[in-house]
């Protein structure tokens, strides 16, 4: 299946957006900008537009067709992560319990780390049980920035991180 790419500059650095003709498949941090695909499917244009709205504080939910590649367990975890509201956090334990086993916290962390569509599937909203920021594939500085960005656009403007 053909893959298409589009690069966008953002407050957290260059992002590489990747899609099929109809579905967003990946977002990569630290993208070194090269040439966008000659063909730019609507999904890539819409993803960039919605991300700009998110970074401007105007969008709190994404409405995009997603097709992240992963195991059945990873898919389940990513679906649960998508239910964590803008400006809120959940712990790895919370997600493990929702997935059916509180003993799955390590597996939840691993699945979260393999999320191919960060920001849209908001894995940055998953924190340690103590509220501590723990690993993030995009780097803890990005996780902190994303959480503070969301907090600054919610009724409570307290900076937690």
């Amino acid at each position: 299946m053909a893959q298409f790419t589009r690069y966008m500059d953002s407050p957290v650095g260059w992002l590489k957006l990747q899609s099929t003709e109809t579905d967003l498949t990946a977002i990569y941090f630290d993208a070194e900008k090269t040439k966008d695909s000659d063909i730019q499917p609507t999904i890539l244009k819409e993803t960039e537009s919605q991300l700009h709205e998110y970074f401007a504080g105007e969008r709190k939910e994404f409405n995009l067709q997603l097709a992240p590649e992963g195991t059945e367990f990873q898919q389940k975890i990513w679906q649960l992560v998508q239910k964590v509201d803008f400006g809120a956090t959940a712990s790895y334990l919370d997600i493990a319990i929702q997935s059916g086993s509180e003993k799955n916290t390590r597996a939840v962390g691993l699945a979260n780390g393999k999320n191919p569509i960060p920001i849209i599937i908001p894995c940055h909203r998953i924190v340690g049980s103590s509220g501590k920021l723990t690993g993030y594939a995009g780097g803890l500085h990005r996780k902190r920035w994303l959480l503070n960005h969301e907090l600054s656009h919610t009724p409570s403007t307290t900076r937690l991180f």
Side-chain angles (χ1 to χ4, degrees):
M1 187 171 284
Q3 289 284 317
F4 304 94
T5 56
R6 183 179 189 97
Y7 293 86
M8 70 172 279
D9 197 6
S10 80
V12 293
W14 280 97
L15 302 174
K16 177 182 178 183
L17 313 178
Q18 195 165 48
S19 76
T20 63
E21 186 71 43
T22 57
D23 301 328
L24 183 66
T25 57
I27 295 177
Y28 299 97
F29 289 114
D30 289 328
E32 192 170 311
K33 185 177 181 345
T34 59
K35 188 177 180 306
D36 290 344
S37 296
D38 290 336
I39 298 171
Q40 290 289 295
T42 302
I43 184 67
L44 285 178
K45 296 172 190 171
E46 186 58 28
T47 299
E48 182 176 18
S49 175
Q50 289 190 27
L51 282 168
H52 280 301
E53 292 169 355
Y54 168 83
F55 287 123
E58 299 163 358
R59 175 174 290 278
K60 296 183 179 185
E61 291 181 21
F62 293 96
N63 182 18
L64 298 164
Q65 188 67 35
L66 306 179
E69 284 190 30
T71 67
E72 186 177 324
F73 178 77
Q74 289 169 334
Q75 298 282 345
K76 181 178 184 178
I77 298 306
W78 300 334
Q79 287 174 356
L80 292 170
V81 167
Q82 287 182 77
K83 294 178 181 177
V84 180
D85 291 335
F86 181 97
T89 59
S91 72
Y92 294 97
L93 178 60
D94 294 333
I95 301 298
I97 290 168
Q98 290 175 41
S99 76
S101 173
E102 65 184 62
K103 292 181 170 54
N104 277 344
T105 55
R106 183 179 217 106
V108 166
L110 292 171
N112 214 36
K114 296 283 187 191
N115 172 17
I117 310 177
I119 305 171
I120 310 289
I121 299 175
C123 54
H124 59 277
R125 297 179 189 154
I126 311 305
V127 298
S129 293
S130 66
K132 184 178 179 191
L133 295 189
T134 55
Y136 186 62
L140 286 180
H141 66 289
R142 284 194 183 92
K143 184 172 189 164
R144 187 175 293 108
W145 190 95
L146 291 165
L147 289 170
N148 279 326
H149 167 70
E150 292 184 8
L151 286 171
S152 73
H153 291 90
T154 56
S156 168
T157 56
T158 305
R159 300 294 191 278
L160 299 176
F161 304 101

